[in-house]
C-alpha cells in the first residue's frame, strides 16, 4: 500500500471515530432527520393549523396540499437548516487541528498532507450523504403515508443535485479552514460562497442551467415535469468540478503551510 | 563517514524583518543527549520546527539523518518529537492515540500492539483507562514521550518538555529522558539549566537566534566557567578583604577575584596553580584564613557569562 493511501486510510478511520464519538455526526443526522420528517407533516397540516388560528367567521382559501408541497418544504429546509448545520459541523476541519496543536503531532509523521486534507473532506462528504439519504428516506416515507399519488423520481433526482451542491459547499469549508486560522471566519466565507452560488443563476445566460447554483431551480423544474432529468447533469458536473478545484486549492495551500 | 544526525548550516528564519533564527550552525552527534539551551524567545522552538519539516527556512539548511524533513517526509519515520505542550485528541484513550500514531508512522501491525503496551508501561500509563481529555499535564507529557517513541526513532526531539511540570513530575520526566537516551539520540531544548546539567552530555547555547557555543558540559564548565576558589578570612574588615582580592586578581592565572559577602571568589584558569599559589599569597598577606574551598562552576554561571546577565 502506498504511503498516501495508508495515510488516507488511517486518517479516515480516525475522522470516522471522531465524528461518531464527538457527536458531530449524530447532531448533523438529528437536524436532517428532524426536517426530513417534519416537512411532510408541515405541508399536510399547516393549512389546518392556520385555519384553526383564524378568528371565528374568517375563512382561508388554501388549496389542498399535495406531495409536491411536502417535497418543496423538504428542499426549503435542506437549503437553509441543512446547509447551515453542515457548515457549522465542518467549518473547523483543519483550522481547529492547527489551533489546538493536534495537527503538529500528525504532521511530524511520515504522511502526505494530501492524505490529511482528503481524509477530512471524504468523511465530511460521507457524513453529509448519509444524513441527506436518511433524511430523504424519512421524508419519502411520511409523504407516502400522508399523501396520495406520490411521484418520487423527480424528487430523488433533485436530491442527487443537492448532494452534489453540498459536496461543493463542504469542499469550500475545507478550503477556508485551511486558509483561515479562525473556524468562524471559515464558516462565514463558506456561507458567502453559498449565497454567491445561489445568486449567480439570477443573471441567466445559462448560469441558471449550468452552474452549481442552478441545482435548486433545475430540481424544481424536474419535479414539476418542466425539465427532463438530463437537465440535472450540468449543475451536478459543475458542482463536482468546483468541489475538485476547491480541494485541489486546499491541498496546494496546506502543503506550503507552516505549522 | 559522518556521525552527525542533526546539522544546521547558516540556518535563518525571518518573520518580516525580524530574524528568529539568524545564521545558525549546529551539529549533533549520534548517541548524544544534546541540550539546546537558550532563554525564552532565543529561537529554539523555531529551529526545531525547521529541523522537523514543520517550517521552511528563509535561508540555510536544516537536516536530520542527512535529510531535509520538509521535502523528505519519509525520513520522519526515524524521528520522534515531543512539543512543549503536546495536544491530543481528547476523545481518544492514551492507548488509542499511540496505536494511531504508530499506524501513521508505519509500524508493522504485528508489532504495534505489544510496542504500545510496552511504551505505556514505560511511561507509567499502562492501567489508565480514561480519555486523554481527563489527563493531568504530567500524564500528557508522558503520553507525549510515548507517542514520540512509538516509531523507535533514531533521533528524539524534545521541546521544553519539563517547563510545565511540577517538581516531582519534572524529576520523573528527567529520569525517563535518561532511560530513553540509552537507545536514541536526544535533542533536548530547554531554558532550565539544572535539567541540562542532569541529563545532557553536550550543550549548544543559542541567543538571539545565533549559536553562542557548542561543547560538552564539562568543557563548558572548564573553558568558559573556569574553576572558582572561595576564600573566607577570620576577619570582617572589608578594606583588608578587598585589598587581598585586588592582590589575588593581579596573578596571571586568575581571571577575576571579587568580594561577595566578605568572601573572596577567585575564578582561575588553572586549578593546580591556584591550589599552590593562593594559600601562599594569603599567608604573605598576614590575614588569618578560616576557609579555603574549590568549587566547579555550574552551568548557570557559564550561561550567564555567555549570554549576558539579563538572562537571569
Amino acid at each position: 500500500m502506498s504511503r498516501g493511501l495508508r495515510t488516507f486510510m488511517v486518517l479516515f478511520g480516525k475522522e470516522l471515530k471522531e465524528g461518531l464519538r464527538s457527536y458531530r455526526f449524530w447532531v448533523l443526522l438529528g437536524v436532517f432527520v428532524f426536517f426530513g420528517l417534519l416537512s411532510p407533516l408541515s405541508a399536510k397540516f399547516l393549512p389546518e393549523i392556520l385555519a384553526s388560528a383564524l378568528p371565528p367567521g374568517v375563512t382561508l382559501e388554501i388549496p389542498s396540499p399535495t406531495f409536491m408541497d411536502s417535497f418543496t418544504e423538504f428542499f426549503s429546509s435542506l437549503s437553509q437548516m441543512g446547509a447551515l448545520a453542515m457548515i457549522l459541523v465542518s467549518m473547523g476541519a483543519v483550522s481547529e487541528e492547527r489551533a489546538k496543536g493536534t495537527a503538529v503531532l500528525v504532521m511530524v509523521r511520515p504522511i502526505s498532507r494530501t492524505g490529511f486534507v482528503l481524509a477530512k473532506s471524504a468523511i465530511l462528504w460521507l457524513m453529509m450523504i448519509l444524513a441527506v439519504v436518511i433524511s430523504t428516506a424519512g421524508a419519502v416515507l411520511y409523504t407516502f403515508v400522508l399523501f396520495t399519488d406520490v411521484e418520487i423520481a423527480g424528487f430523488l433526482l433533485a436530491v442527487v443535485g443537492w448532494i452534489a451542491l453540498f459536496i461543493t459547499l463542504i469542499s469550500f469549508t475545507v478550503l477556508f479552514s485551511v486558509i483561515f486560522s479562525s473556524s468562524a471566519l471559515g464558516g462565514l466565507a463558506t456561507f458567502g460562497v453559498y449565497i454567491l452560488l445561489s445568486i449567480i443563476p439570477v443573471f441567466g445566460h445559462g448560469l441558471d442551467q449550468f452552474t452549481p447554483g442552478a441545482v435548486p431551480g433545475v430540481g424544481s423544474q424536474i419535479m414539476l415535469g418542466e425539465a427532463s432529468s438530463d437537465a440535472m447533469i450540468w449543475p451536478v458536473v459543475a458542482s463536482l468540478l468546483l468541489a475538485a478545484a476547491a480541494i485541489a486549492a486546499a491541498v496546494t495551500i496546506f502543503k506550503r503551510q507552516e505549522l | 563517514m559522518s556521525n552527525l544526525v542533526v546539522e544546521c548550516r547558516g540556518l535563518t528564519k525571518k518573520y518580516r524583518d525580524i530574524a528568529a533564527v539568524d545564521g545558525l550552525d549546529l551539529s549533533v552527534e549520534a548517541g548524544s543527549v544534546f541540550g539546546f539551551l537558550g532563554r525564552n524567545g532565543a529561537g529554539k522552538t523555531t529551529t526545531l520546527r525547521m529541523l522537523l519539516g514543520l517550517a521552511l527556512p528563509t535561508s540555510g539548511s536544516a537536516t536530520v539523518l542527512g535529510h531535509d524533513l520538509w521535502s523528505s517526509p519519509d525520513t520522519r519515520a526515524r524521528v520522534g518529537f515531543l512539543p512543549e505542550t503536546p495536544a491530543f485528541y481528547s476523545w481518544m484513550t492514551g492507548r488509542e492515540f499511540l496505536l494511531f500514531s504508530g499506524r501513521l508512522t508505519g509500524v508493522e501491525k504485528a508489532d504495534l500492539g505489544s510496542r504500545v503496551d510496552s511504551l505505556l508501561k514505560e511511561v507509567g500509563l499502562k492501567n489508565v483507562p480514561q480519555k486523554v481529555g481527563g489527563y493531568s499535564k504530567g500524564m500528557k507529557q508522558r503520553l507525549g514521550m510515548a507517542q514520540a517513541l512509538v516509531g523507535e526513532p533514531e533521533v528524539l526531539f524534545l521541546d521544553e518538555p519539563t517547563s510545565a511540570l511540577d517538581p516531582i513530575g519534572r524529576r520523573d520526566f528527567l529520569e525517563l529522558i535518561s532511560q530513553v537516551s540509552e537507545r536514541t539520540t536526544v535533542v533536548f531544548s530547554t531554558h532550565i539549566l539544572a535539567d541540562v546539567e542532569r541529563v545532557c552530555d553536550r550543550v549548544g547555547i543559542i541567543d538571539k537566534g545565533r549559536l553562542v557555543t557548542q561543547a560538552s558540559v564539562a568543557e563548558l564548565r572548564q573553558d568558559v566557567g573556569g574553576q572558582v576558589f572561595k576564600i573566607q578570612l577570620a576577619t570582617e574588615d572589608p578594606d583588608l578583604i578587598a585589598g587581598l582580592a585586588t592582590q589575588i586578581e593581579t596573578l596571571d592565572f586568575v581571571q577575576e577575584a571579587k568580594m561577595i559577602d566578605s568572601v573572596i571568589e577567585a575564578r582561575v584558569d588553572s586549578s593546580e596553580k591556584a591550589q599552590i599559589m593562593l594559600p601562599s599569597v594569603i599567608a604573605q598577606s598576614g590575614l588569618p584564613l578560616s576557609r579555603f574551598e574549590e568549587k566547579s562552576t555550574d552551568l548557570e554561571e557559564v550561561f550567564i557569562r555567555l549570554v549576558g546577565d539579563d538572562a537571569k
Side-chain angles (χ1 to χ4, degrees):
Chain A
M1 194 187 290
S2 70
R3 180 164 54 85
L5 187 58
R6 175 173 51 78
T7 303
F8 177 82
M9 296 303 287
V10 176
L11 291 172
F12 185 81
K14 173 249 160 192
E15 294 294 335
L16 184 63
K17 277 188 198 163
E18 187 167 24
L20 296 174
R21 286 203 208 167
S22 66
Y23 307 111
R24 256 190 313 171
F25 172 67
W26 303 114
V27 169
L28 190 73
L29 187 63
V31 170
F32 274 68
V33 168
F34 171 74
F35 68 72
L37 299 180
L38 198 69
S39 298
L41 289 168
S42 165
K44 178 76 178 175
F45 298 112
L46 191 63
E48 289 176 34
I49 295 167
L50 287 175
S52 67
L54 292 173
V58 179
T59 56
L60 189 66
E61 288 294 326
I62 301 177
S64 292
T66 68
F67 72 93
M68 285 295 293
D69 296 306
S70 168
F71 290 154
T72 305
E73 184 67 30
F74 175 78
F75 285 125
S76 169
S77 299
L78 192 66
S79 67
Q80 295 164 29
M81 225 188 299
L84 188 65
M86 218 176 46
I87 292 171
L88 287 175
V89 160
S90 57
M91 66 188 189
V94 177
S95 53
E96 266 181 26
E97 289 236 20
R98 255 196 334 246
K100 286 181 185 168
T102 46
V104 167
L105 287 188
V106 174
M107 288 306 152
V108 290
R109 313 265 167 213
I111 69 165
S112 92
R113 291 196 176 198
T114 306
F116 185 81
V117 172
L118 286 184
K120 286 201 170 288
S121 309
I123 204 70
L124 289 169
W125 294 333
L126 183 69
M127 275 168 53
M128 177 273 293
I129 290 171
L130 280 174
V132 171
V133 166
I134 294 170
S135 173
T136 301
V140 168
L141 181 71
Y142 269 43
T143 305
F144 268 107
V145 171
L146 297 171
F147 298 93
T148 54
D149 303 324
V150 179
E151 291 282 340
I152 62 164
F155 170 70
L156 293 181
L157 203 59
V159 168
V160 170
W162 273 97
I163 287 176
L165 178 57
F166 278 180
I167 285 176
T168 309
L169 268 194
I170 287 175
S171 306
F172 271 96
T173 317
V174 171
L175 169 63
F176 290 130
S177 79
V178 167
I179 294 173
F180 298 116
S181 53
S182 151
S183 302
L185 207 57
L188 269 177
T190 309
F191 201 69
V193 168
Y194 185 44
I195 290 173
L196 193 68
L197 290 177
S198 309
I199 291 172
I200 285 173
V202 173
F203 298 103
H205 301 292
L207 295 172
D208 53 349
Q209 293 172 52
F210 305 116
T211 63
V215 164
V218 171
S220 294
Q221 288 168 11
I222 293 173
M223 278 203 304
L224 292 167
E226 294 168 4
S228 73
S229 54
D230 291 351
M232 191 53 93
I233 292 174
W234 278 112
V236 167
V237 168
S239 297
L240 297 181
L241 285 176
L242 195 58
I247 293 299
V251 167
T252 306
I253 295 168
F254 191 55
K255 275 184 172 177
R256 293 175 189 168
Q257 221 160 42
E258 297 189 350
L259 294 169
Chain B
M1 194 177 139
S2 170
N3 196 27
L4 299 179
V5 290
V6 174
E7 256 191 304
C8 298
R9 291 285 165 259
L11 186 65
T12 301
K13 180 69 179 177
K14 286 187 177 174
Y15 295 100
R16 296 177 192 272
D17 293 333
I18 298 166
V21 177
D22 189 7
L24 184 76
D25 292 318
L26 186 76
S27 53
V28 178
E29 287 180 12
S32 60
V33 184
F34 186 84
F36 193 35
L37 196 55
R39 64 181 99 179
N40 290 328
K44 304 185 294 292
T45 299
T46 307
T47 303
L48 292 191
R49 285 176 58 233
M50 287 189 281
L51 282 165
L52 289 158
L54 296 171
L56 271 171
T58 307
S59 62
S61 67
T63 59
V64 180
L65 299 164
H67 297 275
D68 168 1
L69 296 194
W70 180 282
S71 55
S72 308
D74 284 350
T75 311
R76 293 186 201 144
R78 299 159 64 194
V79 174
F81 174 53
L82 170 61
E84 183 176 357
T85 43
F88 305 97
Y89 300 109
S90 56
W91 51 272
M92 284 186 184
T93 64
R95 191 170 195 280
E96 283 174 331
F97 189 80
L98 293 187
L99 290 171
F100 170 66
S101 302
R103 285 185 200 117
L104 284 180
T105 308
V107 178
E108 289 297 323
K109 208 173 179 180
D111 302 334
L112 186 57
S114 58
R115 190 180 298 177
V116 163
D117 288 336
S118 153
L119 281 170
L120 283 171
K121 190 176 173 190
E122 187 175 8
V123 300
L125 296 172
K126 182 143 177 67
N127 297 312
V128 181
Q130 76 211 67
K131 303 265 173 28
V132 181
Y135 276 24
S136 68
K137 273 183 188 169
M139 290 163 82
K140 282 184 181 168
Q141 213 70 0
R142 282 182 279 143
L143 179 62
M145 181 65 119
Q147 64 78 34
L149 293 170
V150 76
E152 297 188 333
E154 292 166 53
V155 194
L156 177 64
F157 290 94
L158 308 171
D159 188 10
E160 309 247 11
T162 56
S163 299
L165 299 180
D166 62 33
I168 293 169
R170 204 175 121 218
R171 180 201 64 194
D172 293 347
F173 200 82
L174 290 173
E175 276 173 20
L176 190 58
I177 294 173
S178 295
Q179 282 172 35
V180 167
S181 67
E182 289 168 12
R183 56 184 197 259
T184 183
T185 304
V186 178
V187 177
F188 173 26
S189 129
T190 186
H191 64 272
I192 303 173
L193 299 148
D195 291 356
V196 172
E197 289 208 284
R198 186 153 166 199
V199 297
C200 299
D201 47 31
R202 290 191 67 79
V203 181
I205 295 179
I206 182 175
D207 189 44
K208 294 176 184 137
R210 289 181 160 272
L211 187 74
V212 178
T213 188
Q214 181 176 347
S216 72
V217 175
E219 282 167 355
L220 271 184
R221 281 185 182 144
Q222 185 58 46
D223 299 348
V224 180
Q227 289 293 105
V228 173
F229 283 79
K230 285 190 170 185
I231 301 156
Q232 189 165 11
L233 301 169
T235 174
E236 291 192 355
D237 185 332
D239 294 335
L240 291 174
I241 300 169
L244 179 59
T246 308
Q247 197 180 339
I248 287 171
E249 202 163 37
T250 59
L251 300 169
D252 62 352
F253 59 87
V254 176
Q255 294 173 14
E256 64 172 352
K258 55 188 177 184
M259 190 176 79
I260 301 169
D261 296 333
S262 304
V263 176
I264 296 171
E265 281 196 11
R267 190 177 301 280
V268 302
D269 295 329
S270 164
S271 180
E272 283 176 12
K273 276 187 179 175
Q275 284 166 3
I276 297 165
M277 298 291 292
L278 286 180
S280 74
V281 171
I282 297 163
Q284 281 170 16
S285 73
L287 294 170
L289 180 67
S290 67
R291 189 160 67 100
F292 183 74
E293 181 193 359
E294 179 180 4
K295 79 174 187 75
S296 294
T297 312
D298 63 25
L299 203 55
E300 185 174 341
E301 288 173 58
V302 171
F303 183 73
I304 290 167
R305 282 166 73 85
L306 285 171
V307 304
D309 211 18
D310 57 336
K312 282 175 182 170

